[in-house]
Amino acid sequence: MIDKTALWTVIIGLGAGSFFLRFVFTGLVGDKQMPAWLLRHLRYTAVAILPALVAPQVLWPSATDGQFDLPRVSAAVVTLGVGLLTKNVLAAILSGAVALYGMLYLVG
């Protein structure tokens, strides 16, 4: 069981940090014109989040206690390849799912 003081300290700290990040963009920047290079980089933020969420489960899967797992790596490679070739997110996700479950069926 976690100490209640530590728990509330973390909750309040995360809330303050989240508020600060939002305030920087909405309160300080507001309706000011942002430089083109910053807008270009911000455009890729959402695209970078999904691989950041998936990469640990591919490289150190908890299902295998962090050991190399061929089905997950194969699914990641298929997803990346289909995404690069088709530029279609749904096709990439579905092909990755088919590859993962197909490899899990074949390899175990």
Side-chain angles (χ1 to χ4, degrees):
M1 188 73 178
I2 189 169
D3 180 35
K4 287 185 178 183
T5 304
L7 175 68
W8 281 107
T9 302
V10 169
I11 290 172
I12 291 171
L14 289 174
S18 177
F19 174 79
F20 177 74
L21 286 174
R22 287 178 175 85
F23 181 75
V24 166
F25 282 101
T26 59
L28 295 180
V29 174
D31 57 351
K32 297 175 188 167
Q33 185 68 27
M34 289 194 285
W37 63 268
L38 180 60
L39 291 174
R40 187 174 60 238
H41 286 86
L42 287 175
R43 191 176 313 142
Y44 297 110
T45 302
V47 177
I49 290 174
L50 188 57
L53 292 172
V54 173
Q57 292 301 316
V58 172
L59 298 176
W60 305 283
S62 59
T64 61
D65 292 330
Q67 300 299 316
F68 178 80
D69 191 35
L70 182 61
R72 285 167 178 78
V73 173
S74 300
V77 170
V78 168
T79 303
L80 181 63
V82 171
L84 288 173
L85 290 175
T86 65
K87 310 288 187 208
N88 186 331
V89 174
L90 289 178
I93 291 172
L94 291 176
S95 64
V98 169
L100 175 64
Y101 287 109
M103 288 297 290
L104 286 174
Y105 178 76
L106 292 174
V107 176

